[in-house]
Amino acid sequence: MKQYINKLLITALGSVIMAGCADTGIDDFSVEKPNTIAGMEYLNDYSPLKSYIDRTTHPNFKLGSGISESDFNSGGLVYRLASANFDEITAGNAMKYSSCVSKDGVMSFSDVTKFIEMAKTAGLSIYGHTLAWHSQQQNEYLNKLIADKEIKVDPNNAEHALHIKTTEAKANVWDWQIYYMLPEALTVGQEYTISMRAKATTATNIAFWPNNANGSQVQYLSDLSVGKEWNTTSVKFTATIPIQKLVFSFGKFSGDLYIDDVKLAATGSNTNLIANSSFDNTDLSKWSKPSWHSYTYTIEALAAGPTTWFTNLVSNSNCESDDVSSFYATEATVGPKAATFGAAGTGADGVGRALIVKSGDNPTNNWDTQFFVKVPYKFKEGDTYRFTMKVKADKAGTIESQAHNNPGGYLYWSMIGNPSVTTSWQEYTKTGVISASQAGMNTIAFNLSPNKTATTFYFDDIYFEKQESGNTIPLTPKEKADTLTWAMDKWVKGMMQACGGYVKSWDVVNEAISGGGDDGEGFYVLQSASNGDPLKNFYWQDYLGSEEYVRKVVGMARKYYAEFKGNPSDLKLFIMIIIWNPIGTITKN
């Protein structure tokens, strides 16, 4: 092995000697200088750019440049060019919110402090860009801050409900029934409302067929709709028989049905005619079932469930603005078109305005004249809704309701029942659960021609609400404003602390005005999610107020600049307005 290595060394040494003896003579030749280089050589005749500023005439003028903070911080060519040619620099991104705040809200200013130390060494001042902006924000973190808040639920805080358990779905709705016997019969001709909170293992309907005392008379009324989550369901009716036995039928349901907070009251009265309506004691003496029905019912303690609330989906419910985006009409087969507002004083009880729809004489179909209420949400099967409106007409009668997937887009023949209309204002309310046949609807259509005679209808105070449910609830506008004020304060304080008073000039708010549009008075519109891109940007001003937003940031900047070694008289704050295509914009506005 040693002999082999020695041979390799000798061979390699011979190669080196031979290479050393090679002929290195090269013929002379010349290459022309590239035009791209030759054309730039005149720059060698110039001094550094900042030396051309007449400091006597313009003692406060600063020549600056926006640069990449990472290139500058590396101390290489960009650093040397900036140091030689400029008085002031602006970081491209390092001092923006998304560069310093992580998705979980943790702030880091290490790049900022490095940038400032390098600028100090180079003798450069810094123009800060930017404390507040809608672009380059940490959207995920900010949206999480103002997300729905969790409601603390105490599992030991139990409520009680009537628990009905059926073993199978029967062929007929009357095959499962439960009764409630009133101590006295209801008054014939009196209007009542029955309501309850209910939920079931699957969405279902409870038929409400109240009887007289001995069951010889029945009044068939609208169903009570029940979803898989707790919801309030109700039926308003006028007693046409001396009702004393309340009959609830649910024969086609199989599973667990829970009922709570049952209330029966006459219109204008707060007296509940149902005893032990919340099932807080064990008394079920007023409740019974047919002896041959094999299901079970009992009072059961349940852990307090999630909060529910209703969100109104109708725009301009009170009819006091000119927004008709939720209201359409077809009059005597002409339409659908935007509905028409009446004059002041036509509204409910003579206050404000109402929507007015007129039907014609001798219509061919009940739907020849229709009034539509459209919302920007397609309801799903199982959604709980609540609809309320005030209505009157110049002739008494009945109107029909249908489910549509747009005005004129028929979906199902029944939606919220058939309201009776009189010549006086009355409120109509219906709470229910969307069925499979109604799923996909976003419009309630009212057929206004069943009476076959020309009639003028008036509608006001229209609400179509979707029930929300869960252990969270939306923050109020004030809560959102307070939360984001805290977040902005934390951010401005952190940035001013990192700068230590060295950065004396700032874009305090960038692009507060959109630089386009017209607010109706000849001014540019303010930045907002309504005219911007809320998926990419975060519009602080939508929560803090367009003007208050600016005031808050200015106040925070002044406070923390002084707190962290800055001389208040040195601080200069600018509200930047960028106008794209300025010539065209100025010509237009």
Side-chain angles (χ1 to χ4, degrees):
M1 176 64 72
K2 184 180 293 184
Q3 292 178 347
Y4 178 68
I5 293 175
N6 288 337
K7 289 179 181 179
L8 285 176
L9 291 173
I10 293 171
T11 303
L13 180 59
S15 298
V16 171
I17 295 172
M18 291 176 65
C21 298
D23 184 4
T24 58
I26 300 175
D27 294 336
D28 292 337
F29 67 95
S30 62
V31 177
E32 293 186 4
K33 185 179 297 184
N35 291 333
T36 54
I37 295 178
M40 301 294 289
E41 287 188 332
Y42 73 96
L43 295 175
N44 293 329
D45 297 330
Y46 286 92
S47 300
L49 294 179
K50 61 185 178 183
S51 67
Y52 292 95
I53 305 300
D54 186 341
R55 302 294 179 180
T56 302
T57 306
H58 307 289
N60 297 319
F61 185 89
K62 291 185 177 182
L63 183 64
S65 176
I67 61 174
S68 164
E69 60 279 356
S70 58
D71 290 340
F72 182 80
N73 287 349
S74 69
L77 177 62
V78 170
Y79 175 84
R80 296 194 298 273
L81 285 172
S83 302
N85 288 282
F86 301 109
D87 303 308
E88 188 165 81
I89 52 175
T90 299
N93 288 299
M95 303 176 87
K96 295 175 182 174
Y97 191 90
S98 62
S99 297
C100 301
V101 182
S102 68
K103 291 182 179 181
D104 57 3
V106 175
M107 296 192 301
S108 174
F109 297 97
S110 57
D111 288 342
V112 174
T113 54
K114 171 76 172 187
F115 186 66
I116 291 172
E117 290 304 315
M118 296 292 287
K120 285 181 179 178
T121 302
L124 296 170
S125 61
I126 295 174
Y127 184 89
H129 176 75
T130 175
L131 288 180
W133 197 14
H134 59 271
S135 184
Q136 290 184 250
Q137 303 301 291
Q138 196 56 264
N139 293 16
E140 183 175 337
Y141 167 65
L142 293 172
N143 283 314
K144 190 184 299 181
L145 284 181
I146 56 173
D148 297 352
K149 63 182 176 182
E150 183 177 355
I151 300 170
K152 302 298 182 183
V153 178
D154 181 359
N156 297 316
N157 180 20
E159 61 181 20
H160 295 82
L162 180 64
H163 178 198
I164 299 171
K165 187 175 185 64
T166 68
T167 56
E168 61 178 324
K170 297 285 190 176
N172 305 298
V173 69
W174 58 84
D175 286 338
W176 297 130
Q177 289 184 322
I178 193 167
Y179 309 144
Y180 183 91
M181 185 63 74
L182 296 167
E184 296 179 0
L186 300 184
T187 303
V188 174
Q190 174 66 53
E191 185 180 64
Y192 297 87
T193 298
I194 186 165
S195 65
M196 63 177 67
R197 291 176 60 240
K199 71 173 183 176
T201 47
T202 59
T204 189
N205 290 322
I206 301 174
F208 181 48
W209 300 340
N211 296 187
N212 64 349
N214 62 16
S216 61
Q217 294 177 288
V218 181
Q219 185 172 350
Y220 295 97
L221 296 171
S222 299
D223 292 348
L224 294 159
S225 301
V226 181
K228 292 190 291 184
E229 302 292 339
W230 283 109
N231 68 279
T232 300
T233 181
S234 63
V235 172
K236 181 179 286 188
F237 64 96
T238 299
T240 58
I241 62 172
I243 294 170
Q244 194 163 0
K245 180 192 285 188
L246 306 182
V247 180
F248 304 93
S249 302
F250 45 92
K252 296 185 177 183
F253 173 74
S254 174
D256 296 294
L257 173 63
Y258 296 89
I259 296 173
D260 198 6
D261 299 328
V262 184
K263 182 177 182 180
L264 175 64
T267 298
S269 171
N270 291 321
T271 300
N272 187 1
L273 303 178
I274 306 295
N276 191 25
S277 61
S278 59
F279 304 101
D280 287 334
N281 63 55
T282 58
D283 182 11
L284 285 176
S285 60
K286 302 293 185 182
W287 295 87
S288 64
K289 68 173 183 175
S291 60
W292 59 92
H293 285 194
S294 61
Y295 73 86
T296 61
Y297 70 96
T298 185
I299 294 176
E300 184 173 315
L302 304 173
T307 296
T308 61
W309 65 92
F310 283 95
T311 301
N312 182 31
L313 304 175
V314 174
S315 297
N316 193 20
S317 287
N318 63 6
C319 302
E320 295 310 307
S321 79
D322 294 328
D323 182 2
V324 291
S325 59
S326 289
F327 309 120
Y328 298 82
T330 294
E331 296 179 299
T333 72
V334 179
K337 59 185 179 181
T340 303
F341 291 112
T346 58
D349 302 317
V351 178
R353 303 188 305 174
L355 289 152
I356 298 178
V357 185
K358 298 180 179 181
S359 66
D361 280 320
N362 303 313
T364 303
N365 305 295
N366 290 359
W367 56 85
D368 283 356
T369 295
Q370 292 180 301
F371 173 57
F372 305 95
V373 179
K374 179 183 178 182
V375 296
Y377 173 77
K378 286 188 179 293
F379 280 84
K380 302 178 180 65
E381 181 181 1
D383 282 346
T384 298
Y385 67 86
R386 181 171 65 193
F387 180 80
T388 305
M389 70 176 177
K390 294 177 181 176
V391 59
K392 76 168 186 174
D394 63 358
K395 299 181 182 68
T398 300
I399 60 179
E400 304 166 342
S401 69
Q402 300 174 337
H404 284 209
N405 56 20
N406 264 315
Y410 173 82
L411 192 63
Y412 188 62
W413 64 272
S414 177
M415 184 58 215
I416 62 164
N418 300 329
S420 296
V421 180
T422 70
T423 55
S424 299
W425 282 105
Q426 61 179 347
E427 184 174 82
Y428 181 81
T429 299
K430 173 66 176 177
T431 302
V433 177
I434 296 295
S435 68
S437 300
Q438 296 165 336
M441 69 81 59
N442 64 0
T443 302
I444 301 175
F446 293 97
N447 297 339
L448 304 184
S449 296
N451 301 327
K452 309 301 181 183
T453 182
T455 305
T456 300
F457 294 87
Y458 300 82
F459 300 91
D460 197 4
D461 295 329
I462 303 163
Y463 296 84
F464 192 12
E465 300 168 293
K466 178 180 178 294
Q467 182 175 271
E468 310 287 350
S469 175
N471 290 328
T472 61
I473 191 168
L475 299 184
T476 65
K478 184 179 186 305
E479 287 173 326
K480 291 181 180 180
D482 289 346
T483 300
L484 291 176
T485 298
W486 167 83
M488 180 63 77
D489 185 87
K490 179 183 178 184
W491 154 248
V492 175
K493 179 180 180 179
M495 178 58 75
M496 289 300 180
Q497 184 175 14
C499 294
Y502 188 75
V503 183
K504 302 176 181 180
S505 300
W506 281 92
D507 282 346
V508 63
V509 177
N510 194 37
E511 298 182 17
I513 298 174
S514 68
D518 188 328
D519 68 351
E521 298 181 3
F523 299 103
Y524 302 127
V525 296
L526 300 176
Q527 294 283 10
S528 170
S530 62
N531 55 46
D533 186 348
L535 295 179
K536 287 179 56 180
N537 304 320
F538 186 85
Y539 296 88
W540 297 79
Q541 51 268 66
D542 285 352
Y543 306 99
L544 303 180
S546 294
E547 297 175 4
E548 191 63 23
Y549 156 64
V550 176
R551 294 190 184 104
K552 284 180 181 291
V553 181
V554 168
M556 294 169 188
R558 289 172 174 163
K559 173 185 175 181
Y560 292 119
Y561 178 78
E563 184 174 323
F564 295 107
K565 303 179 182 179
N567 182 349
S569 62
D570 291 338
L571 184 63
K572 296 178 176 60
L573 302 176
F574 299 89
I575 299 172
M576 294 301 294
I577 301 172
I578 298 176
I579 300 176
W580 306 106
N581 185 23
I583 302 301
T585 304
I586 291 170
T587 301
K588 178 182 176 183
N589 257 15

